[in-house]
């Protein structure tokens, strides 16, 4: 399984040779096997990439995140379809009725709210806020028709950053960290959906006709609190969004997490999670074990 996230921050020529990604520099070249790479973060507006490189990235299911001049992700490129059973799985996605999707969205929202409640306890130790968010979780109905997700979000972010915090304020440092981290995880989920035959345009709750990643934006919801915890910890007390902060957020994929009674890499956990989503389309009786933020271990060295 591909395991590397490659960050390109210098002005280089990006090529492909002998199934390797080659980063051309004045003094020497850097060679990285394509099969080892899961995501490339292109964070230099002067780096040069050819159409042949894009073709090879798609063939190998390597996702490419493109950042703007402010070092924030602005675009994503990935394979359209490279799974042998994609037609069958897409057919299942299309055939599912509103009742199936309504129940599934309810489960996703409950998992997200439970993780938000735990995040508040992990970062702030506020039991009363945890209890309030869990109360919202208990009240989620099919398709979240009463919009408990939005009500809980206000309580959640007020807990982390105070009542003056706004997710839409670009001048707040934490927002830069959250947006960056979400983009990294979103790209990983997108490539995993494609790898397992899911059509990312066919959403569970998100139905925007202009959004190629409706399904991804559904499935990321219970995972967002993992990014919240990491971003809060590395940016708390900081003034600027520095390269080392971006590197830490990119490296979330190599952090460790306890999932289904196993210690594994965050990236492997996402893969297992998406496999269960696919299984639920094939057989509705197979439930999804949603990742729990309480099991987020961060950067942990393996025991000797």
């Amino acid at each position: 399984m591909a395991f590397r996230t490659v960050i390109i921050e210098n002005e280089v020529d990006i090529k492909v040779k002998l199934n390797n990604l080659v980063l051309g520099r004045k003094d020497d070249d850097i060679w990285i096997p394509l099969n080892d790479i899961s995501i490339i973060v292109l964070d230099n507006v002067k780096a040069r990439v050819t159409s042949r490189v894009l073709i090879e990235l798609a063939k190998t299911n390597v996702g490419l995140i493109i950042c703007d001049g402010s070092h924030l992700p602005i675009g994503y490129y990935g394979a359209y379809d490279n799974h042998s059973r994609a037609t069958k799985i897409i057919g299942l996605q299309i055939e599912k009725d509103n009742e199936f999707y309504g129940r599934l969205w309810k489960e996703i929202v409950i998992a997200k709210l439970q993780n938000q409640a735990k995040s508040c306890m992990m970062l702030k130790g506020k039991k009363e806020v945890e209890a309030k968010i869990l109360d919202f979780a208990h009240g989620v109905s099919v398709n979240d028709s009463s919009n408990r997700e939005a009500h809980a979000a206000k309580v959640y972010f007020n807990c982390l950053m105070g009542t003056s915090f706004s997710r839409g304020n670009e001048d707040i440092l934490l927002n830069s960290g959250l947006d960056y981290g979400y983009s990294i995880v979103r790209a990983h989920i997108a490539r995993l959906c494609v790898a397992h035959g899911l059509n990312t345009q066919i959403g569970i709750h998100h139905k925007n006709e202009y959004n190629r990643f409706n399904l991804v934006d559904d499935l990321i919801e219970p995972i967002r609190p993992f990014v919240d915890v990491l971003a809060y910890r590395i940016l708390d007390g900081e003034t600027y969004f520095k390269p080392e902060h971006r590197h830490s957020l990119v490296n979330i994929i190599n952090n460790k997490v306890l999932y289904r009674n196993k210690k594994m890499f965050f990236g492997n956990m996402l893969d297992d999670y998406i496999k269960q989503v696919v299984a639920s389309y094939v057989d509705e009786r197979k439930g999804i074990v949603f990742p729990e933020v309480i099991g987020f271990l961060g950067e942990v060295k393996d025991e000797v």
Side-chain angles (χ1 to χ4, degrees):
M1 176 182 175
F3 63 94
R4 288 186 177 180
T5 300
V6 177
I7 309 175
I8 301 175
E9 297 178 304
N10 298 316
E11 182 181 348
V12 295
D13 289 314
I14 306 170
K15 301 177 182 179
V16 171
K17 294 181 182 179
L18 302 175
N19 204 37
N20 287 272
L21 184 74
V22 181
L23 308 181
R25 303 190 302 180
K26 291 182 179 179
D27 47 353
D28 61 351
D29 294 342
I30 298 175
W31 291 56
I32 307 170
L34 278 175
N35 290 330
D36 289 352
I37 304 173
S38 58
I39 295 290
I40 298 172
V41 181
L42 186 54
D43 193 8
N44 188 300
V45 296
K46 294 185 178 181
R48 293 167 292 276
V49 59
T50 66
S51 57
R52 178 170 181 261
V53 170
L54 296 177
I55 291 169
E56 294 302 320
L57 294 183
K59 286 181 178 179
T60 323
N61 196 26
V62 176
L64 175 65
I65 298 172
I66 302 172
C67 299
D68 61 17
S70 300
H71 308 288
L72 293 176
I74 194 172
Y76 174 76
Y77 169 80
Y80 181 73
D81 171 23
N82 64 357
H83 190 278
S84 60
R85 294 189 298 125
T87 301
K88 176 183 177 180
I89 296 173
I90 292 171
L92 292 172
Q93 287 181 263
I94 295 172
E95 290 171 3
K96 295 301 179 184
D97 57 21
N98 290 333
E99 182 180 355
F100 171 83
Y101 282 119
R103 291 197 309 268
L104 184 52
W105 182 243
K106 174 183 177 180
E107 294 175 12
I108 288 172
V109 172
I110 290 174
K112 178 183 181 178
L113 268 54
Q114 289 174 338
N115 276 340
Q116 286 182 330
K118 296 302 179 184
S119 295
C120 280
M121 275 301 296
M122 292 167 67
L123 297 173
K124 293 293 188 177
K126 295 184 177 180
K127 292 185 178 180
E128 68 280 5
V129 176
E130 178 189 30
K132 190 169 185 177
I133 296 176
L134 288 176
D135 186 56
F136 280 126
H138 294 150
V140 175
S141 57
V142 172
N143 210 31
D144 190 24
S145 55
S146 56
N147 204 15
R148 288 292 186 267
E149 180 189 15
H151 293 302
K154 182 177 181 180
V155 175
Y156 175 63
F157 283 109
N158 285 349
C159 167
L160 294 186
M161 297 299 296
T163 56
S164 62
F165 178 78
S166 170
R167 273 291 289 130
N169 190 340
E170 296 180 357
D171 295 327
I172 297 177
L173 183 62
L174 181 61
N175 278 329
S176 295
L178 295 180
D179 291 340
Y180 195 91
Y182 293 156
S183 295
I184 297 298
V185 175
R186 186 175 186 252
H188 276 276
I189 293 176
R191 67 175 292 275
L192 288 170
C193 285
V194 172
H196 293 296
L198 291 166
N199 185 299
T200 58
Q201 293 172 289
I202 305 174
I204 297 165
H205 177 75
H206 290 82
K207 304 292 184 181
N208 189 335
E209 63 180 305
Y210 303 108
N211 182 10
R212 180 184 165 193
F213 302 106
N214 284 315
L215 179 61
V216 178
D217 292 335
D218 291 323
L219 299 179
I220 196 177
E221 294 298 348
I223 313 299
R224 290 183 186 273
F226 289 84
V227 177
D228 300 343
V229 169
L230 179 58
Y232 185 91
R233 285 174 173 170
I234 65 176
L235 293 174
D236 188 31
E238 297 287 339
T239 305
Y240 302 104
F241 193 36
K242 303 174 184 176
E244 54 263 36
H245 299 146
R246 296 195 291 274
H247 294 175
S248 294
L249 288 166
V250 167
N251 196 50
I252 189 174
I253 300 302
N254 295 315
N255 282 198
K256 290 292 185 69
V257 59
L258 287 174
Y259 180 59
R260 301 177 72 188
N261 300 316
K262 297 178 182 178
K263 183 189 293 186
M264 62 179 70
F265 288 109
F266 189 90
N268 292 339
M269 176 270 287
L270 289 179
D271 186 55
D272 199 340
Y273 169 47
I274 300 304
K275 285 179 181 175
Q276 291 181 65
V277 173
V278 174
S280 72
Y281 279 101
V282 176
D283 184 350
E284 295 182 27
R285 295 170 297 178
K286 292 184 177 180
I288 300 170
V289 179
F290 291 97
E292 296 182 0
V293 73
I294 199 70
F296 187 35
L297 303 176
E299 295 188 53
V300 179
K301 294 182 179 180
D302 291 329
E303 295 83 3
V304 179

